Structure formats: structure tokens, C-alpha cells
């Protein structure tokens, strides 16, 4: 079978040749690309004859996959797979695996980084120093005795809760499923209304699907305390971005930290988030650490070899 790696997985490029040689010994061909495709036409040219596709979070449209009719398996080197046309994959019996868990530590750590950075106003203090002017000192806050709300208690949410354990604070959680191991950590599960209204920090650590899309809208944001913060490292469309911008502009909440947006970065220059000084913005890099990339590649190629052996792992479609 012809296997196409659409884009570099950010590991040592020399490793690909070893894998290519090993797959050739099993009767398979690996074609890999180190540079990202420029557009859909280049994606089609790369994958049109592929039987198996390895892809990260590069968006694949239904029109693109229609021009690669031989594909029977997509190995997603990412946790989320909402960048695939899932209905098309189901209808055409294209099996899909993902790499859930590879970035658990990385994403949980960025959530903690955001919490501390917002409390100490790192963004604005950095800006004051760069302007070389006498700063107007403002009082920061400590995490001590705060309430952190974690929406989504999967692997990332649970790891964030573990990282917060060393602080003197209260943790609330909201999830469809109440997990005993989370409750045993002293976490209290509450409904969505309570977690939004009682938390000093609301951290979103849940996947994007039909149930979670638009989950945090104007109504939910209006419940938040005026000195509270929203942190989103999950998926942009979970939050109504326009409603959040209005909240931040009118200072109905104190601030936010966003790694994800309604559209993938780069943002449009007219996006009002870029004009606000009470929000920290990062370009969807929560997962992007050296350690996570190593784990991701290991899981992705393990998925590939398992599929070739007829024993699919981490199947999501």
C-alpha cells in the first residue's frame, strides 16, 4: 500500500528514512513531505494515489478526499479530528485513528501558565518594560484561595486538576460523566450554571462536537463574575467569539487567555481580540512541545503498524 505523510511531524527527519525502509520490507511504500502544503491543490497532488494518509491538524475538505478515492485509512497525528469531513469518511468507510493523549501534559501546563500569567498581568507588565517608561504599578493577585472551574474532565482536564493540587484553592468541574478518580481528588462536580457563576477561572478542556459547539455563549458568559477569567485551550468554536469580545470590551469579565479561535491563526487583522489588552493570545500551540511531538510520532506510527497488521488502534471513525 502507498502511505503518504502529508506534513512533517516535527521529529528528527532522519527517522523517516528508517521507517520508510522498514515499511518497504513489508511491501509498503512511504512517501513523506517535510513542508506543509500551500493549498488544496498541493494536498490533492500529494495524496491522490494514497491508500493510507498520515495527517496532523491540516484541514481536509470533502472535495479534497473525493480526489483521493483509494484512501481507506487516515492516521490523524492529533487529538481532535474535527478538521476531517467525518460524515464523508463514515459514508465511504474510511477508518480513522487519532493520537489522543500525546499532548495531555503540554496542554494542561499551558492552562496553568495562563492562570498564573493572568493573575500577575504578565502581558501588560512586559509591555510596560518594553516602552521604557515609568510603570504605573498595579496590584497583582495570588492563586491562593481562588476557585478554578474545569469544564471537561478527560485526560487533559484531569491532569490540570493534578497540577493545581499543590495550590490552596477549590476546584469545580463540569462534565457529562462524573469520574470517581476526580472526585477522590477533592473536586466538586456542579452544573454549567454554577461553574460559570462561581469560578474565578473557567478552563475549557473538552473536545469540539455537535454538543459542545457554541456551548459557551452570551448567556453563559453573562453568568461569570466581573473579576473572573476564561481560558480556552480546547477548540475555538466551543465559545461564541463575538460574545466573548463584547464581554472583554465592556469588562464584564476581567480577562481571558485563548490558544484557539473561531478560525485558525493567523487571525484577520481586523479581529477585535488583537486590540484588547485584557486577553492573552497564542496561535494554537498548546500541544506544541518537543516532548509531545515525540509522543505523537510514536503513537501515530504505532497506529499505522497496527492497522497494517489488521488490528486498528485508537479508532475514532
Amino acid at each position: 500500500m502507498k502511505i503518504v505523510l502529508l506534513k512533517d511531524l516535527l521529529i528528527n527527519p532522519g527517522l523517516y528514512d528508517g521507517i520508510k525502509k522498514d515499511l518497504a520490507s513489508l511491501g509498503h511504500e512511504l512517501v513523506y513531505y517535510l513542508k506543509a502544503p500551500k493549498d488544496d491543490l498541493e494536498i490533492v497532488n500529494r495524496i491522490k494515489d494514497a491508500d493510507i494518509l498520515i495527517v496532523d491538524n491540516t484541514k481536509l475538505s470533502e472535495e479534497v478526499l473525493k480526489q483521493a478515492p483509494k484512501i481507506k485509512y487516515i492516521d490523524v497525528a492529533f487529538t481532535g479530528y474535527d478538521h476531517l469531513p467525518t460524515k464523508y469518511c463514515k459514508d465511504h468507510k474510511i477508518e480513522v485513528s487519532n493520537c489522543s493523549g500525546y499532548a495531555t501534559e503540554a496542554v494542561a501546563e499551558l492552562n496553568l501558565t495562563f492562570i498564573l500569567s493572568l493573575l500577575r498581568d504578565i502581558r501588560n507588565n512586559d509591555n510596560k518594560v518594553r516602552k521604557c517608561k515609568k510603570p504605573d504599578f498595579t496590584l497583582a493577585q495570588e492563586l491562593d484561595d481562588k476557585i478554578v472551574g474545569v469544564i471537561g474532565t478527560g485526560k487533559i482536564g484531569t491532569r490540570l486538576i493534578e497540577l493545581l493540587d499543590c495550590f490552596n484553592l477549590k476546584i469545580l468541574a463540569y462534565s457529562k460523566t462524573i469520574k470517581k478518580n476526580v472526585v477522590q481528588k477533592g473536586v466538586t462536580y456542579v452544573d454549567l450554571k454554577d461553574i460559570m457563576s462561581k469560578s474565578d477561572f473557567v478552563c475549557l478542556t473538552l473536545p469540539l462536537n455537535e454538543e459542545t459547539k457554541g456551548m459557551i455563549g452570551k448567556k453563559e458568559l453573562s453568568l461569570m463574575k466581573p473579576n473572573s477569567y476564561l481560558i480556552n485551550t480546547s477548540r475555538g468554536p466551543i465559545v461564541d467569539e463575538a460574545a466573548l469580545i463584547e464581554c472583554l470590551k465592556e469588562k464584564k469579565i476581567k480577562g481571558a487567555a485563548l490558544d484557539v479561535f473561531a478560525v485558525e491563526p493567523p487571525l484577520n487583522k481586523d479581529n477585535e481580540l488583537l486590540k484588547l489588552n485584557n486577553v492573552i493570545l497564542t496561535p494554537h500551540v498548546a500541544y506544541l512541545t518537543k516532548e509531545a511531538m515525540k509522543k505523537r510520532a510514536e503513537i501515530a506510527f504505532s497506529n499505522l503498524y497496527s492497522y497494517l497488521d489488521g488490528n486498528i488502534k485508537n479508532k475514532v471513525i
Side-chain angles (χ1 to χ4, degrees):
M1 283 193 276
K2 182 175 181 179
I3 303 158
V4 173
L5 172 60
L6 185 61
K7 178 184 169 187
D8 183 20
L9 296 182
L10 302 179
I11 59 173
N12 182 347
L15 295 174
Y16 296 129
D17 286 332
I19 296 170
K20 181 175 183 176
K21 184 176 180 181
D22 184 55
L23 288 169
S25 71
L26 298 173
H28 306 292
E29 177 190 6
L30 173 65
V31 177
Y32 64 87
Y33 297 89
L34 299 181
K35 291 185 178 180
K38 296 176 183 177
D39 50 32
D40 280 356
L41 179 60
E42 189 168 355
I43 293 176
V44 170
N45 287 334
R46 291 183 182 187
I47 73 172
K48 60 186 177 182
D49 297 323
D51 300 289
I52 295 173
L53 174 61
I54 305 173
V55 62
D56 59 354
N57 62 334
T58 301
K59 185 174 179 60
L60 294 177
S61 69
E62 182 175 325
E63 289 304 313
V64 164
L65 285 186
K66 282 180 180 178
Q67 297 178 71
K70 294 173 63 180
I71 291 179
K72 291 300 177 187
Y73 176 59
I74 300 177
D75 186 2
V76 179
F78 213 65
T79 300
Y81 51 94
D82 48 284
H83 52 292
L84 301 185
T86 53
K87 185 178 185 303
Y88 179 87
C89 290
K90 291 175 184 176
D91 291 346
H92 291 78
K93 298 181 180 179
I94 299 173
E95 295 183 291
V96 179
S97 292
N98 75 341
C99 289
S100 177
Y102 80 91
T104 297
E105 190 70 26
V107 180
E109 285 185 8
L110 185 61
N111 274 270
L112 179 57
T113 301
F114 278 157
I115 290 172
L116 295 173
S117 296
L118 288 166
L119 283 171
R120 300 309 298 262
D121 201 14
I122 297 297
R123 178 189 180 279
N124 288 317
N125 280 316
D126 175 83
N127 191 44
K128 290 173 185 177
V129 174
R130 293 178 188 280
K131 287 184 176 180
C132 300
K133 294 181 179 180
K134 185 177 179 179
D136 52 332
F137 292 109
T138 54
L139 291 175
Q141 299 180 74
E142 297 175 2
L143 191 48
D144 186 72
D145 210 30
K146 297 294 188 295
I147 299 174
V148 177
V150 179
I151 297 182
T153 52
K155 292 178 181 178
I156 293 170
T158 300
R159 181 56 183 148
L160 173 58
I161 289 166
E162 292 172 349
L163 291 176
L164 291 168
D165 186 56
C166 64
F167 295 93
N168 177 37
L169 49 76
K170 182 177 181 180
I171 301 176
L172 302 178
Y174 172 78
S175 180
K176 287 176 60 178
T177 305
I178 295 176
K179 297 186 176 179
K180 290 182 180 179
N181 65 315
V182 173
V183 174
Q184 289 169 354
K185 298 178 189 298
V187 175
T188 302
Y189 277 91
V190 295
D191 61 22
L192 186 59
K193 179 180 178 181
D194 278 350
I195 203 167
M196 297 300 295
S197 62
K198 294 180 179 180
S199 301
D200 297 300
F201 289 90
V202 175
C203 300
L204 304 179
T205 58
L206 68 170
L208 174 65
N209 52 43
E210 289 303 315
E211 293 182 25
T212 62
K213 187 175 183 180
M215 178 182 183
I216 307 300
K218 186 174 183 178
K219 177 184 175 182
E220 290 72 26
L221 291 167
S222 70
L223 297 172
M224 295 180 70
K225 298 188 290 188
N227 64 338
S228 64
Y229 302 88
L230 180 75
I231 295 175
N232 189 7
T233 59
S234 52
R235 285 292 186 273
I238 291 174
V239 178
D240 181 336
E241 193 168 282
L244 176 59
I245 289 171
E246 181 184 348
C247 243
L248 292 166
K249 286 173 68 175
E250 297 182 6
K251 301 212 167 32
K252 292 180 179 178
I253 62 174
K254 190 158 187 179
L258 308 173
D259 185 54
V260 288
F261 309 90
V263 296
E264 280 289 295
L267 301 183
N268 188 300
K269 292 180 180 180
D270 295 328
N271 192 310
E272 293 191 65
L273 286 170
L274 301 175
K275 305 170 188 176
L276 300 173
N277 63 4
N278 57 344
V279 59
I280 297 173
L281 309 174
T282 56
H284 200 172
V285 293
Y287 68 97
L288 199 57
T289 66
K290 182 178 180 180
E291 294 83 357
M293 294 303 94
K294 182 175 181 293
K295 292 176 192 173
R296 177 176 74 161
E298 289 171 351
I299 297 171
F301 284 111
S302 176
N303 285 346
L304 172 63
Y305 280 101
S306 292
Y307 177 79
L308 293 174
D309 286 339
N311 179 29
I312 189 168
K313 293 198 312 185
N314 299 311
K315 184 176 179 178
V316 290
I317 296 177

